[in-house]
Amino acid sequence: MRHPKVYLSPSKQPHNSYASGNTNEEKEMVEVSRLLKGILEKDYGIDTVLADLSLDIGRNGRPKEAKDKGCSIYLAIHSNAGGAGKAKGAVALFHPGSKDSKSLGKILVEELNGICPYGSNRSEPLVDGMKAFQGKGFGEIRTPYEYGITPVLMETNFHDHVDIAKWMTGNKEAIAKSYGRALAKFLQVEKKTGNNQIKESVSQAADESPLYRVQVGAFRKIENAEELKARLWSLGYDGFISFR
């Protein structure tokens, strides 16, 4: 079954410096997004589009690219600032017209706060993204929604908090995995097992030619050979037993 396609739009804010690590929001969130794309595709089989980083976030930029590529979820990935370097915790901005937007935001906040060693002090981790700018809302909330896409703008955590900035820069893979778990939970997609990956490889190979046979295992006892043959058949291989 083909799952909804996810669009990842990392921050375009290189001037937002981190309180630790001589880095910035754009650099860190682009790397998290690249890691997340690999995780979603490899571990969950979720089609994922990473934004063309040269595009802006205006109506004819990334939101249009998401629409043109058939994406149904638009996830903007940012990090936050404020609270005089004392604020902590993930924050999700959602569109009030979409129940899915708020539901996804809630799952994302729970997953991201669950892996951070610094507890959240946010009284409102879920924020209506259309209340900003005199009701015009954030562009990456408003425009994807107008295109029929479920939008969420995530503030991963606060990069002006020294300890959190240090944690974020040193744990990008863990953060990406957390994002992946949240998206998979929302989409009700199970993580691939080894058997699923073998089956997928077999299915892909079935559409290609030529085929090359590989001998797997040699046993002194016929019952061991029969056991392996049955296991291979369950995974889609047309195994057979031969005698020398």
Side-chain angles (χ1 to χ4, degrees):
M1 182 180 72
R2 186 171 292 277
H3 305 294
K5 189 181 292 186
V6 175
Y7 187 87
L8 305 178
S9 176
S11 170
K12 284 182 68 70
Q13 297 164 293
H15 302 300
N16 289 350
S17 298
Y18 273 39
S20 175
N22 191 30
T23 188
N24 63 75
E25 180 180 345
E26 179 175 320
K27 179 180 178 182
E28 296 301 308
M29 296 302 101
V30 166
E31 183 59 26
V32 166
S33 298
R34 285 177 172 151
L35 290 167
L36 175 56
K37 179 177 175 9
I39 289 165
L40 290 174
E41 293 178 340
K42 180 181 178 182
D43 292 353
Y44 299 100
I46 298 172
D47 289 341
T48 309
V49 176
L50 177 60
D52 178 342
L53 300 181
S54 69
L55 293 175
D56 62 29
I57 61 172
R59 184 173 187 83
N60 294 318
R62 293 184 183 181
K64 185 175 184 298
E65 181 183 41
K67 176 179 177 291
D68 290 345
K69 290 186 178 292
C71 298
S72 56
I73 293 175
Y74 186 107
L75 179 59
I77 298 179
H78 292 245
S79 56
N80 212 345
K86 296 181 181 180
K88 300 177 291 182
V91 176
L93 283 75
F94 65 91
H95 195 290
S98 169
K99 290 182 179 179
D100 283 345
S101 177
K102 189 171 185 178
S103 295
L104 175 56
K106 183 175 184 295
I107 295 170
L108 285 161
V109 165
E110 289 172 351
E111 282 289 345
L112 288 166
N113 283 341
I115 65 165
C116 183
Y118 305 97
S120 173
N121 58 13
R122 301 297 83 209
S123 60
E124 294 185 50
L126 295 173
V127 176
D128 182 342
M130 289 301 294
K131 287 186 177 179
F133 311 115
Q134 292 76 50
K136 292 182 179 179
F138 287 89
E140 288 191 287
I141 295 295
R142 179 184 65 253
T143 310
Y145 179 77
E146 290 173 351
Y147 280 138
I149 304 171
T150 299
V152 176
L153 192 159
M154 278 304 303
E155 301 284 10
T156 305
N157 216 308
F158 283 81
H159 60 247
D160 61 344
H161 186 293
V162 174
D163 292 331
I164 292 175
K166 186 181 297 184
W167 174 77
M168 283 197 292
T169 57
N171 292 275
K172 288 188 283 290
E173 186 170 356
I175 290 168
K177 286 181 177 179
S178 181
Y179 268 110
R181 286 193 300 273
L183 285 160
K185 183 177 180 180
F186 174 76
L187 294 172
Q188 298 182 347
V189 177
E190 295 292 331
K191 190 172 184 179
K192 287 185 178 182
T193 64
N195 284 355
N196 286 339
Q197 292 171 335
I198 291 173
K199 287 179 181 178
E200 184 176 274
S201 298
V202 171
S203 177
Q204 291 171 349
D207 295 330
E208 301 171 359
S209 59
L211 295 175
Y212 301 92
R213 295 190 180 277
V214 178
Q215 179 179 319
V216 181
F219 302 92
R220 294 287 183 188
K221 295 182 178 180
I222 185 65
E223 56 266 30
N224 292 338
E226 291 285 1
E227 181 182 350
L228 177 58
K229 178 185 174 183
R231 194 183 316 159
L232 290 173
W233 271 98
S234 72
L235 296 175
Y237 290 95
D238 58 343
F240 59 90
I241 298 174
S242 63
F243 302 87
R244 67 178 183 180

